Amino acid sequence: MDFDLVIRNGVIVTASEVLPPGLDIGCRDGKIVCIGAGLPSSASTQVIDAEGAYITPGGVDSHVHLAQANAPTGDGWETGTRSAIAGGTTTIIAFASQQKSDASLFPVLEEYNKTSRDQSYCDYSYHFILTNPTKEILRDELPVMAHEHGITSVKLYMTYEIMKLNDREVLDILFACKALGMTTMIHAESHDMISLIIEGLERNKHTEPYYHAIARPRIAEDEASYRAISLAEFADAPMLIVHMSSEVALAHVRDAQTRLLPIHAETCPQYLFLLSERLKADPHDHFAGAKHVCSPPLRHDPKDLEGLWRNVANGTVTTFSSDHAATKYFAEGGKRLGLVDGIPRFSKIPNGLPGVETRVPLLFSQTPACVPPEKARLSLPRFVQLTATNPAKLYGLGGRKGSIAPGYDADFIIWHPSDKGICTIQQKNLHHDIDYTPYEGMEIGNWPRYTILRGQVVWDQAKGIIGTMKCGQWLKRGRGEVLVGKTGNLPRGMLEDERKYWL
């Protein structure tokens, strides 16, 4: 057999197992052809010696905000995807965002295509953010987006005045997406609770960045998550609740999953590693906490972190994404929009943190690859599920992305062997276009030595970025898979044939 690339002497990790050491991976034309021992190579074959290190699938980050109109100082496609491959992510799914005034999705798609075309270092696709779900869009446009363009997921908001939908609009979307096999994502926080608190905080002049965490308490996420699950159960539709930060909200998900409802959960690094104390002033800058403003906010107690980690390990959490929604701190139009005439106003601070580059290394550092088994927070196969396999399946890329098996794209992370990859996260070493990282000074157990996209090395830590902006390809996605539970459930208390009277 003639291979373009052979990777030797590695320890391959899949979503189900850690394979025996020393197996080779043979790739041709950007695809994995076979896995075996002693695969042949020719003069034209690139051979990479993994030196006994772990090999995991290229990361799939299914929640990334790039080139967003509401974040003029944030990352664009060039800098965001450059950062992605440096951190081991080979596929991202970003957001084409509909405004309330947009009566059609087609101009939104065309405009967003212009920003990404020939600008991506990694493979990519989009979700649609729906803020004006008209009957015409749901009836006529979503089918075209799913079948012809391969955009098979939408995101909805239950909060933010300019984006939020009411329950009836959420239901209409759930029914439409279920019929098309599309995945519905939802940002679940109680808008009315949050609005009431913000009014009171501002009335009492509590407007420093730290009060952002006070303004969005866990109960606002808990209530909205339960309501979102109830809407999905009523519609008998799959749903993923994004960036979950509350153990109580995740308990609602867990309960739904035990009743075989197709409810999925996502969490992000900030909710596993950071606490609300980061939003407080530091001795040198009273506004520095603005760097850590995101929604839902960072939680207060280390017990909150532990609760999230339990749900990561026990299978409740389906995907682990970055929610990279960054804005600069010092640039005009960035985080310092929250300084109004020199007075801090947390409600004016742009939401979001950088994290597309650090997502995969942070989680890998909590596996037995980097810490003693008794201290590991999750297994290596679980790491692969969360960072690659599950998001690929959930968003219609199963069979192509997210796994190391014949027929899949040859997307890999080759880590450093044993303890040779230990490093400290520092802003100066990152590749995004943001002027800080919330993980500054954090020591991690490994960093991708090589990132390989469809058989091509695009990141070599010894050399830096090797790929180009034209390496990334648009991914036309299929129907998303239901990874937990199933459809066809009857809501509690509803008669067997009750739906036939109104559907």
Side-chain angles (χ1 to χ4, degrees):
M1 300 181 72
D2 191 19
F3 301 109
D4 301 328
L5 169 69
V6 172
I7 303 172
R8 301 198 189 282
N9 192 28
V11 180
I12 301 166
V13 185
T14 72
S16 59
E17 60 187 335
V18 180
L19 298 181
L23 292 175
D24 300 340
I25 306 172
C27 308
R28 185 172 59 242
D29 298 328
K31 297 285 187 180
I32 300 170
V33 177
C34 66
I35 298 171
L39 296 183
S41 60
S42 66
S44 62
T45 304
Q46 180 182 11
V47 178
I48 296 177
D49 184 356
E51 299 182 20
Y54 287 105
I55 305 171
T56 59
V60 179
D61 194 342
S62 54
H63 193 149
V64 179
H65 296 268
L66 299 178
Q68 302 284 271
N70 63 350
T73 71
D75 274 309
W77 282 89
E78 176 184 357
T79 59
T81 58
R82 178 183 70 197
S83 184
I85 62 170
T89 290
T90 52
T91 299
I92 65 160
I93 310 180
F95 293 93
S97 185
Q98 180 198 30
Q99 306 301 312
K100 288 278 189 183
S101 57
D102 292 329
S104 170
L105 296 180
F106 292 110
V108 176
L109 175 61
E110 179 55 34
E111 189 62 31
Y112 205 53
N113 277 337
K114 290 178 184 177
T115 70
S116 64
R117 193 173 290 125
D118 296 329
Q119 296 291 310
S120 183
Y121 283 86
C122 65
D123 288 353
Y124 65 99
S125 186
Y126 310 147
H127 314 285
F128 268 115
I129 292 176
L130 294 184
T131 59
N132 182 22
T134 65
K135 290 182 179 179
E136 292 74 21
I137 286 174
L138 299 184
R139 183 189 64 225
D140 302 328
E141 297 192 5
L142 279 190
V144 175
M145 294 302 177
H147 298 145
E148 295 184 18
H149 295 279
I151 300 175
T152 55
S153 50
V154 300
K155 183 184 178 185
L156 322 177
Y157 286 85
M158 299 174 79
T159 188
Y160 301 132
E161 192 62 50
I162 63 171
M163 307 181 87
K164 70 181 179 72
L165 302 178
N166 61 42
D167 289 356
R168 174 57 191 269
E169 290 171 317
V170 172
L171 283 171
D172 288 341
I173 293 168
L174 284 168
F175 277 109
C177 287
K178 178 193 173 185
L180 294 168
M182 298 180 72
T183 301
T184 301
M185 312 157 71
I186 194 160
H187 177 141
E189 288 185 288
S190 171
H191 180 79
D192 290 334
M193 286 186 189
I194 293 166
S195 297
L196 185 149
I197 297 171
I198 290 176
E199 288 175 11
L201 288 170
E202 292 183 340
R203 185 173 59 250
N204 294 322
K205 302 188 184 319
H206 297 310
T207 59
E208 293 82 8
Y210 177 72
Y211 288 100
H212 173 78
I214 304 297
R216 309 179 89 95
R218 272 185 24 172
I219 193 171
E221 181 180 346
D222 301 340
E223 182 278 329
S225 296
Y226 185 84
R227 180 157 42 100
I229 292 167
S230 298
L231 296 174
E233 181 176 8
F234 176 78
D236 187 29
M239 174 185 283
L240 176 126
I241 304 177
V242 297
H243 46 50
M244 300 193 75
S245 68
S246 165
E247 187 176 16
V248 172
L250 281 162
H252 296 327
V253 172
R254 187 73 169 178
D255 174 69
Q257 292 172 346
T258 60
R259 294 190 289 114
L260 298 183
L261 298 180
I263 305 299
H264 307 89
E266 170 198 270
T267 197
C268 310
Q270 54 266 37
Y271 305 119
L272 299 177
F273 292 95
L274 306 177
L275 290 169
S276 64
E277 62 191 23
R278 297 293 190 104
L279 281 82
K280 295 180 178 178
D282 71 31
H284 309 290
D285 183 354
H286 74 284
F287 194 65
K291 296 177 182 178
H292 297 89
V293 166
C294 58
S295 294
L298 305 182
R299 299 306 182 188
H300 304 305
D301 195 310
K303 293 178 181 176
D304 292 315
L305 304 186
E306 291 304 315
L308 266 290
W309 277 113
R310 283 193 294 273
N311 282 277
V312 165
N314 70 18
T316 303
V317 172
T318 315
T319 64
F320 179 74
S321 73
S322 66
D323 189 13
H324 181 88
T327 56
K328 293 184 179 68
Y329 180 61
F330 287 105
E332 183 178 351
K335 291 285 188 179
R336 297 176 78 83
L337 281 173
L339 272 177
V340 182
D341 297 327
I343 299 172
R345 294 288 299 274
F346 72 83
S347 62
K348 305 297 183 183
I349 299 170
N351 271 271
L353 305 180
V356 69
E357 186 167 351
T358 49
R359 173 189 75 114
V360 172
L362 280 167
L363 197 64
F364 190 75
S365 292
Q366 303 300 313
T367 72
C370 300
V371 296
E374 65 274 12
K375 293 185 178 181
R377 294 185 179 273
L378 71 165
S379 69
L380 281 159
R382 183 79 180 117
F383 162 82
V384 170
Q385 291 171 21
L386 290 161
T387 59
T389 309
N390 284 357
K393 289 180 176 179
L394 185 67
Y395 294 109
L397 293 171
R400 180 174 180 182
K401 298 290 186 181
S403 191
I404 299 177
Y408 280 75
D409 283 2
D411 296 352
F412 311 105
I413 304 169
I414 302 178
W415 299 88
H416 288 273
S418 61
D419 60 356
K420 292 183 179 180
I422 295 174
C423 63
T424 299
I425 295 175
Q426 294 179 291
Q427 163 66 17
K428 66 180 183 180
N429 297 327
L430 299 180
H431 296 78
H432 57 205
D433 188 33
I434 307 302
D435 51 11
Y436 74 97
T437 171
Y439 308 104
E440 183 74 37
M442 189 176 295
E443 184 176 274
I444 56 174
N446 213 318
W447 193 271
R449 182 184 176 195
Y450 300 110
T451 302
I452 299 174
L453 172 63
R454 284 179 280 100
Q456 178 182 349
V457 177
V458 292
W459 162 256
D460 177 341
Q461 194 177 21
K463 300 177 181 178
I465 300 289
I466 295 177
T468 69
M469 283 191 291
K470 294 190 178 182
C471 287
Q473 292 182 357
W474 164 258
L475 299 172
K476 183 177 180 180
R477 295 182 283 129
R479 295 168 66 103
E481 297 180 37
V482 172
L483 303 183
V484 295
K486 62 182 181 64
T487 57
N489 298 291
L490 193 67
R492 290 174 290 188
M494 190 175 283
L495 298 174
E496 183 100 18
D497 59 351
E498 194 168 328
R499 279 198 181 105
K500 75 178 183 181
Y501 296 108
W502 51 268
L503 269 181

